[in-house]
Amino acid sequence: MNTTSRARRLSPAERERTILTGARKLVYESGLEAMTVRAIAAEVGVTPALIAHYRPVMDDFVAEVFRDVVSAERVEVLGTVDVSLGLRPTLQGIIETLLDPARDDVAMVWVQSWALGARNPVLAERVRIEMDLWQSGLEDVIRRAGAGIDDPRGAAWMLLAMVDGMSAHALVKWAPHDRAEIARRTLAAVLA
């Protein structure tokens, strides 16, 4: 009597989802640099050849996974904004959310995307698109929440630069212990 059973073969759509889910998990745990055919195959439990069959151009796949990770964060953070709280509390909430150490996995993805994008033009283009979407999204929040802000575009860029810089510093454990306090002071200066 044969006691082994054959695993059900996944459809191409199911396999595609499995590969994408596995790649995202790998990126959240280890960053974009960990995205290799072998690492994804090990994560998903298939051969590297199967990954290469479904994703023949790794640069394109890296850009796709980057987009998925950072756009999910943007939708989550900006999608829950309540501008009726007023400009300062609204922006403070966004900044504190983004600087939360629990989001260091996404900060790592951003930092690596800037470095890897120097040699991966597809990723570089996606990074520029996602940065523009963050900037325009934050600018929109500032416009909706803030009466009297002369330069919402400039304010959005300055706040994102602060978040990016502080997040990058935190990744190498070179950051103030109270990032939120520095963020509050910076926000006050930007809005002054």
Side-chain angles (χ1 to χ4, degrees), residues 87-105:
L87 182 61
R88 192 171 303 234
T90 298
L91 292 178
Q92 190 65 43
I94 291 170
I95 291 167
E96 288 178 4
T97 298
L98 292 173
L99 292 177
D100 186 327
R103 292 186 182 272
D104 284 352
D105 53 356

Side-chain angles (χ1 to χ4, degrees), residues 10-158:
L10 298 179
S11 71
E14 290 171 319
R15 180 64 67 201
E16 186 74 40
R17 279 192 303 277
T18 301
I19 290 170
L20 186 55
T21 300
R24 277 192 214 118
K25 183 176 184 283
L26 181 66
V27 165
Y28 276 116
E29 291 172 355
S30 303
L32 286 174
E33 289 180 330
M35 268 190 78
T36 65
V37 169
R38 289 187 186 279
I40 296 165
E43 181 66 41
V44 176
V46 299
T47 66
L50 187 64
I51 300 298
H53 170 74
Y54 277 87
R55 299 304 179 145
V57 182
M58 190 52 68
D59 283 355
D60 293 350
F61 193 30
V62 169
E64 177 185 351
V65 172
F66 165 78
R67 179 202 65 216
D68 288 356
V69 168
V70 301
S71 65
E73 181 186 50
R74 185 184 67 254
V75 168
E76 175 194 347
V77 173
L78 295 181
T80 60
V81 168
D82 179 5
V83 295
S84 70
L85 299 172
L87 182 61
R88 192 171 303 234
T90 298
L91 292 178
Q92 190 65 43
I94 291 170
I95 291 167
E96 288 178 4
T97 298
L98 292 173
L99 292 177
D100 186 327
R103 292 186 182 272
D104 284 352
D105 53 356
V106 180
M108 176 67 79
V109 169
W110 272 109
V111 169
Q112 288 181 351
S113 75
W114 297 321
L116 295 172
R119 291 192 174 87
N120 176 341
V122 178
L123 177 60
E125 176 63 23
R126 177 47 55 187
V127 169
R128 289 188 296 270
I129 289 167
E130 293 301 328
M131 288 171 49
D132 285 345
L133 289 169
W134 258 108
Q135 188 281 329
S136 63
L138 189 55
E139 182 180 343
D140 179 61
V141 167
I142 293 169
R143 285 185 198 287
R144 289 187 295 127
I149 297 297
D150 293 334
D151 184 12
R153 185 173 192 274
W157 278 119
M158 288 184 358

